[in-house]
């Protein structure tokens, strides 16, 4: 891998991905697109698209051009560092205006928008680690840990979540972590390693353990630990986080991956310590990190008892290719359909929908 080859790939690929995101932004409902913060996000993507246009990377580029291109990528990464928060401001402002009347196309858009953002940041960060000023960690190839110890990441994420839980509640239930290795010639308790991006896995595990700790404290089951089980199968690595935090009613489960939906009160944005919950972005973004490399997150809950959250990861790198949104006629139709006409009804009710729709 050389600066030349990766530079040519990024110069070809990034404008396509940026232009798709701009097109999808322009498909949003007017009342959202006209929000000041959303308009500023659109302007950022136009600026980044235009920044890449002047470079001619079709042939062999000199060192000065490659160095300038790398610096430009660093500028783009820095420029987009707060896009999640800026977009969230616009969504929150719209939600306050409209209440629960939320266009379903917005969740569809945000899943695609944030997935594209994750992918672009991975490509740029990888290039900057390999050929720019960012440092490559030991055992990494770019941003990818070639032998990531899953237990270590889970333990780090649990420690961070416990620190926040102690700060907010003055107490924290114990977190117990165990492993089970089903691979041949492996002991069940042996370490489980994977080729993966450590920061992505940390984000997912931290969010899920944090949710379990909060539920456990608020349900007053402090004597019951949050259990984390890491399992390596023949093709999957699964991480199950189980709590006795009272569970979630079935009617609310479908909303847990909606943006700006939270069962916690809205947090104080001016606090020096990060809030434990309340923004409504932790679960949907965590699922996007899992899905980006062809994994997933599932929730199973029993109201009155507790919740199991399971992270599924691909064990083999050949199965963990990028999963990216495509901008085409099918995706455009999703924005144009709008709120679908109700086609199910609960008997004896006045037009209420089944809880699983």
């Amino acid at each position: 891998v050389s600066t030349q080859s990766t530079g040519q790939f990024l110069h070809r690929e990034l404008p396509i991905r940026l232009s798709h995101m701009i097109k999808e932004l322009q498909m949003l409902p007017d009342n959202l697109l006209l929000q000041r913060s959303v308009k500023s996000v659109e302007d950022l993507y136009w600026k980044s698209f235009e920044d890449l246009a002047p470079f001619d990377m079709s042939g062999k580029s000199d060192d000065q051009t490659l160095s300038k291109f790398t610096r430009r990528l660093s500028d783009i990464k820095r420029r987009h560092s707060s896009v999640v928060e800026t977009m969230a401001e616009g969504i929150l402002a719209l939600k306050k205006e409209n209440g629960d009347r939320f266009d379903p196309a917005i969740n569809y858009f945000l899943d695609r928008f944030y997935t594209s953002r994750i992918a672009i940041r991975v490509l740029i960060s990888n290039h900057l680690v390999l050929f720019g000023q960012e440092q490559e960690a030991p055992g990494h190839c770019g941003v990818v840990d070639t032998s990531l110890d899953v237990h270590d990441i889970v333990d780090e994420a649990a420690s961070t979540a416990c620190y926040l839980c102690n700060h907010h509640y003055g107490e924290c239930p114990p977190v117990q972590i165990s492993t089970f290795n089903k691979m041949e010639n492996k002991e069940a308790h042996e370490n489980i390693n994977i080729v993966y991006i450590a920061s992505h896995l940390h984000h997912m595990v931290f969010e899920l353990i944090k949710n379990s700790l909060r539920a456990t404290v608020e349900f007053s089951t402090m004597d019951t630990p949050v259990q984390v089980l890491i399992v390596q199968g023949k093709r999957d690595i699964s991480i199950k986080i189980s709590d006795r935090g009272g569970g979630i009613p079935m009617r609310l489960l479908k909303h847990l991956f909606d943006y700006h939906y939270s069962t916690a009160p809205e947090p104080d944005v001016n606090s020096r310590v990060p809030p434990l919950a309340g923004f409504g972005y932790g679960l949907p973004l965590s699922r996007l990190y899992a899905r980006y490399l062809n994994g997933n997150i599932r929730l199973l809950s029993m109201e009155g008892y507790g919740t199991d959250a399971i992270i599924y990861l691909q064990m083999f790198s050949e199965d963990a290719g990028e999963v990216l949104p495509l901008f085409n006629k099918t995706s455009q139709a999703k924005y144009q359909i709008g709120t679908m006409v109700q086609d199910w009804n609960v008997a004896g009710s006045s037009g209420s929908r089944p809880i699983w729709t």
Side-chain angles (χ1 to χ4, degrees):
V1 179
S2 66
T3 315
Q4 180 78 43
S5 61
T6 60
Q8 288 177 334
F9 170 76
L10 291 178
H11 184 258
R12 180 176 66 252
E13 187 70 16
L14 289 179
I16 294 172
R17 298 192 185 195
L18 290 168
S19 64
H20 284 181
M21 296 176 80
I22 292 168
K23 292 291 290 182
E24 298 225 18
L25 275 162
Q26 294 172 342
M27 298 292 293
L28 287 173
D30 288 342
N31 58 350
L32 178 56
L33 191 55
L34 293 176
Q35 295 285 342
R36 181 181 55 83
S37 56
V38 176
K39 184 62 180 172
S40 70
V41 169
E42 183 186 6
D43 292 342
L44 282 179
Y45 279 92
W46 271 114
K47 171 64 175 169
S48 298
F49 179 83
E50 291 165 354
D51 279 355
L52 295 174
F55 289 91
D56 181 8
M57 308 285 285
S58 55
K60 184 172 176 59
S61 303
D62 57 53
D63 290 343
Q64 185 177 358
T65 301
L66 293 171
S67 179
K68 186 177 179 181
F69 181 72
T70 298
R71 290 196 301 272
R72 188 62 53 83
L73 291 179
S74 182
D75 292 340
I76 290 172
K77 180 182 177 182
R78 186 165 50 251
R79 179 186 303 144
H80 290 251
S81 60
S82 60
V83 159
V84 172
E85 295 84 356
T86 307
M87 178 62 73
E89 287 177 19
I91 303 295
L92 187 58
L94 181 66
K95 187 175 182 181
K96 288 179 177 178
E97 292 174 8
N98 294 353
D100 292 332
R101 294 180 291 105
F102 217 50
D103 192 325
I106 293 175
N107 272 316
Y108 175 78
F109 162 77
L110 290 173
D111 274 347
R112 295 164 63 82
F113 179 80
Y114 288 134
T115 298
S116 294
R117 181 181 183 275
I118 290 168
I120 287 173
R121 286 186 71 81
V122 167
L123 291 180
I124 291 177
S125 297
N126 204 61
H127 181 87
L128 294 178
V129 169
L130 291 172
F131 307 111
Q133 300 299 314
E134 298 186 10
Q135 294 297 312
E136 185 174 60
H140 284 59
C141 179
V143 297
V144 179
D145 190 332
T146 57
S147 186
L148 184 149
D149 189 317
V150 178
H151 186 282
D152 283 353
I153 296 296
V154 171
D155 190 48
E156 290 173 12
S159 296
T160 306
C162 285
Y163 169 79
L164 282 180
C165 186
N166 271 310
H167 174 82
H168 286 278
Y169 293 108
E171 57 183 347
C172 182
V175 178
Q176 296 180 351
I177 306 170
S178 57
T179 61
F180 183 79
N181 200 325
K182 190 61 176 173
M183 293 295 289
E184 293 181 10
N185 303 319
K186 292 277 190 178
E187 296 293 331
H189 62 276
E190 280 193 49
N191 288 357
I192 295 173
N193 299 88
I194 187 175
V195 178
Y196 209 76
I197 302 172
S199 59
H200 289 191
L201 182 58
H202 185 282
H203 181 100
M204 292 182 264
V205 176
F206 166 73
E207 286 294 337
L208 294 175
I209 292 179
K210 175 169 65 76
N211 289 347
S212 287
L213 294 177
R214 181 175 73 89
T216 301
V217 173
E218 294 184 356
F219 198 63
S220 301
T221 50
M222 289 292 297
D223 57 332
T224 307
V226 171
Q227 302 275 0
V228 183
L229 175 62
I230 308 166
V231 178
Q232 178 167 350
K234 293 183 177 180
R235 299 202 69 86
D236 296 345
I237 290 177
S238 306
I239 305 168
K240 183 174 75 169
I241 295 119
S242 304
D243 65 59
R244 289 281 303 277
I248 304 158
M250 186 168 62
R251 67 177 62 254
L252 299 183
L253 274 175
K254 65 177 180 178
H255 295 299
L256 294 183
F257 290 102
D258 290 349
Y259 294 88
H260 285 293
Y261 177 84
S262 177
T263 57
E266 190 170 324
D268 178 10
V269 295
N270 297 315
S271 172
R272 292 185 177 182
V273 179
L276 195 64
F279 285 120
Y281 264 61
L283 278 177
L285 283 181
S286 295
R287 186 170 68 172
L288 294 188
Y289 278 116
R291 289 180 170 181
Y292 168 59
L293 293 178
N294 209 17
N296 205 1
I297 290 179
R298 297 272 177 86
L299 296 180
L300 301 171
S301 192
M302 300 174 69
E303 186 186 11
Y305 186 80
T307 300
D308 288 349
I310 306 175
I311 302 170
Y312 296 100
L313 307 174
Q314 297 287 351
M315 190 172 73
F316 299 112
S317 53
E318 59 265 29
D319 296 327
E322 283 189 311
V323 178
L324 299 172
L326 299 174
F327 183 76
N328 51 30
K329 290 182 178 179
T330 301
S331 62
Q332 292 180 60
K334 291 278 189 178
Y335 293 107
Q336 294 163 357
I337 289 172
T339 304
M340 296 184 67
V341 176
Q342 183 170 320
D343 55 357
W344 295 86
N345 185 55
V346 179
S349 69
S350 55
S352 64
R353 300 176 65 90
I355 59 176
W356 45 262
T357 59

